[in-house]
Amino acid sequence: MHDSEVAVLRLGHRPGRDDRMTTHIGLTARALGADRAILVGEASNAAETVTDITDRFGGPFDVTVTDAYRPILRDWEGDIVHLTMYGEPVEEVTPDIRERHRTDPLLVVVGAGKVDFEVYDHADWNVGVTNQPHSEVAALAVFLDRLFEGRELDREWVDAEREVIPQATGKRVEDC
Ligand code: SAM
């Protein structure tokens, strides 16, 4: 769907409290066109769920868990977008981000609780999906859809065991 990589970095995971949200960050990153998710902290349960979904419903999509985000920000060879309610409007800055992303890998950072100010400083763009407080899952979904201009909705899935066949009513899932 796209040439350069898109990775999602999930900061600030609080075990227990954030388990579902961190899982949903991984699932949303996968479903809406990112190539991989990096979960910082004790998020191995969330990573296992995302891996299980990828095994059943296809990929490619990779998820990893790491202890520290600073080396990832420091060593990232590409652009960094930090999604925050304090950032510039998504509708204004995404065309520039998309243009750069034609050649450069993109790291999309989302937080949980309070995000350290160094993340704001390190980002090439701090991007707000509205300047209202809401959810990192919602912000990620809107940002990816704007970045890919909807093309992620037509993605081909590889190595799936199961496929959902769209239905007007009811559920149909087939073995691949
Ligand atoms: N005040 C917190 C902070 O330091 O940014 C907000 C935490 S919020 C519950 C969790 C995450 O959701 C944020 O780190 C950000 O990634 C995302 N988020 C929330 N509202 C957003 C918005 N309007 N635009 C972009 N991202 C948002």
Side-chain angles (χ1 to χ4, degrees):
M1 192 179 71
H2 48 271
D3 295 331
S4 327
E5 179 186 37
V6 177
V8 174
L9 177 65
R10 194 311 190 248
L11 304 178
H13 172 80
R14 296 159 293 189
R17 175 175 175 164
D18 286 326
D19 285 346
R20 271 175 65 82
M21 286 299 261
T22 300
T23 301
H24 288 189
I25 287 292
L27 295 178
T28 300
R30 170 186 170 276
L32 297 187
D35 299 288
R36 62 185 174 114
I38 306 160
L39 313 178
V40 182
E42 293 173 39
S44 53
N45 289 346
E48 274 172 32
T49 302
V50 176
T51 299
D52 180 54
I53 292 291
T54 302
D55 289 347
R56 284 157 57 202
F57 289 97
F61 187 78
D62 187 46
V63 56
T64 52
V65 178
T66 185
D67 289 337
Y69 69 83
R70 288 184 180 87
I72 295 168
L73 291 182
R74 189 189 59 217
D75 298 340
W76 183 255
E77 293 181 357
D79 293 319
I80 299 178
V81 163
H82 170 220
L83 296 177
T84 166
M85 62 184 277
Y86 305 106
E88 298 180 279
V90 65
E91 63 275 24
E92 290 181 12
V93 295
T94 304
D96 285 347
I97 297 169
R98 193 186 306 118
E99 189 55 39
R100 285 277 296 261
H101 174 57
R102 287 185 204 288
T103 51
D104 294 358
L106 185 63
L107 184 68
V108 184
V109 183
V110 296
K114 190 168 166 26
V115 174
D116 287 339
F117 204 75
E118 63 182 300
V119 177
Y120 293 74
D121 272 350
H122 214 99
D124 297 289
W125 289 274
N126 289 289
V127 177
V129 179
T130 77
N131 295 111
Q132 303 298 318
H134 53 83
S135 150
E136 53 269 46
V137 176
L140 179 63
V142 170
F143 175 73
L144 290 175
D145 188 59
R146 292 266 173 158
L147 178 72
F148 297 133
E149 298 179 291
R151 290 188 305 280
E152 80 285 2
L153 301 178
D154 291 331
R155 175 179 170 174
E156 299 270 327
W157 296 96
V158 176
D159 291 336
E161 294 171 1
R162 309 275 284 156
E163 182 186 8
V164 174
I165 311 299
Q167 301 290 296
T169 56
K171 303 179 191 177
R172 188 168 155 209
V173 184
E174 292 187 349
D175 291 337
C176 296

